[in-house]
Amino acid sequence: MRDAVAPFNVLMELDKGVLEPTDHTKRRHLSDMHGMYLEEPDEAAGDALVYTVHEIVVPESPDHIQCSTTILQPGRVGREFFMTKGHFHEVRGRSEVYLGLRGEGRLVMATEGGDHAVEHIVPGSVSYVPGGWAHRSVNIGSELLVFFAAYVGDAGHDYATIEDEGLPVLLTDAPDGPRVERNPRYTQR
Ligand code: PAN
Ligand code: ZN
């Protein structure tokens, strides 16, 4: 973790999302996404890399802002595009901003009450994720999707709610292009 009381700079490779230096890198493979897609991945896909997150880690306090880049690979499981796990912030009121850097994606957001919103992630898009909205990014293109995220320092991540309930909609690859479909497995509280 950085001593964020002292100013610092890191450099980002804009098209790759790599931060130099980075404090922490996590990688999510198909095996980490178990049960999140309607269909199980093809065995031929092996344990493919789905996404990488490079993080700048500062103290988990509302005085600070956590920053990260996400690099989502292109691909599909069945008709669904590669996506992040998605989460609510543990502290529900904490907001976040996404800045699109490369590729073409969608940001799926939903409240615990079942409202949902889908925004575009493209180079230059700035998406505001208000507190209380779960969020998942989806790569609908054929190249990498890269974006930068900044969020309140003590937000934390609640993955379990999305793992249990899913999100109200899915992004699928339809003959006429990407489609937002109702998630048949979504269970609203
Ligand atoms: C992002 C996400 C990142 C990976 O930095 O954490 O895109 O997605 P998952 O955390 O859902 O695996 C963010 O929203 N942070 O709060
Ligand atoms: Zn978040």
Side-chain angles (χ1 to χ4, degrees):
M1 189 192 299
R2 284 164 196 278
D3 171 11
V5 174
F8 63 84
N9 253 27
V10 304
L11 205 58
M12 191 197 308
E13 257 185 278
L14 290 173
D15 61 332
K16 295 195 180 73
V18 175
L19 297 171
E20 180 54 46
T22 191
D23 294 328
H24 184 243
T25 297
K26 59 186 183 198
R27 293 187 175 78
R28 301 287 186 222
H29 293 82
L30 282 173
S31 57
D32 300 307
M33 306 289 294
H34 185 69
M36 299 199 131
Y37 292 98
L38 286 181
E39 292 177 28
E40 281 306 307
D42 227 323
E43 273 190 24
D47 195 15
L49 175 68
V50 182
Y51 62 100
T52 307
V53 183
H54 299 294
E55 296 172 318
I56 301 166
V57 183
V58 294
E60 292 186 2
S61 134
D63 289 339
H64 292 284
I65 297 173
Q66 310 287 352
C67 296
S68 66
T69 52
T70 301
I71 301 110
L72 248 170
Q73 302 293 318
R76 285 179 328 191
V77 175
R79 294 181 304 117
E80 285 178 273
F81 293 104
F82 273 13
M83 61 191 186
T84 57
K85 282 170 170 277
H87 56 269
F88 282 96
H89 288 154
E90 191 79 54
V91 181
R92 288 292 193 270
R94 299 301 188 236
S95 306
E96 179 155 4
V97 171
Y98 276 26
L99 167 62
L101 297 172
R102 173 177 173 178
E104 196 185 357
R106 296 287 185 269
L107 176 57
V108 179
M109 292 171 277
T111 63
E112 285 179 294
D115 289 336
H116 75 270
V118 181
E119 297 292 347
H120 290 229
I121 305 177
V122 292
S125 62
V126 178
S127 311
Y128 189 73
V129 183
W133 287 75
H135 40 288
R136 160 181 286 162
S137 50
V138 185
N139 186 350
I140 61 158
S142 52
E143 61 161 320
L144 296 177
L145 176 72
V146 181
F147 62 88
F148 174 81
Y151 54 101
V152 185
D154 65 344
H157 295 95
D158 163 16
Y159 291 102
T161 305
I162 303 298
E163 280 170 14
D164 293 348
E165 301 171 7
L167 286 175
V169 292
L170 309 171
L171 254 297
T172 58
D173 192 8
D176 54 346
R179 181 182 293 167
V180 179
E181 279 184 35
R182 194 183 63 82
N183 177 3
R185 290 215 308 239
Y186 174 64
T187 51
Q188 200 185 334
R189 294 176 183 204

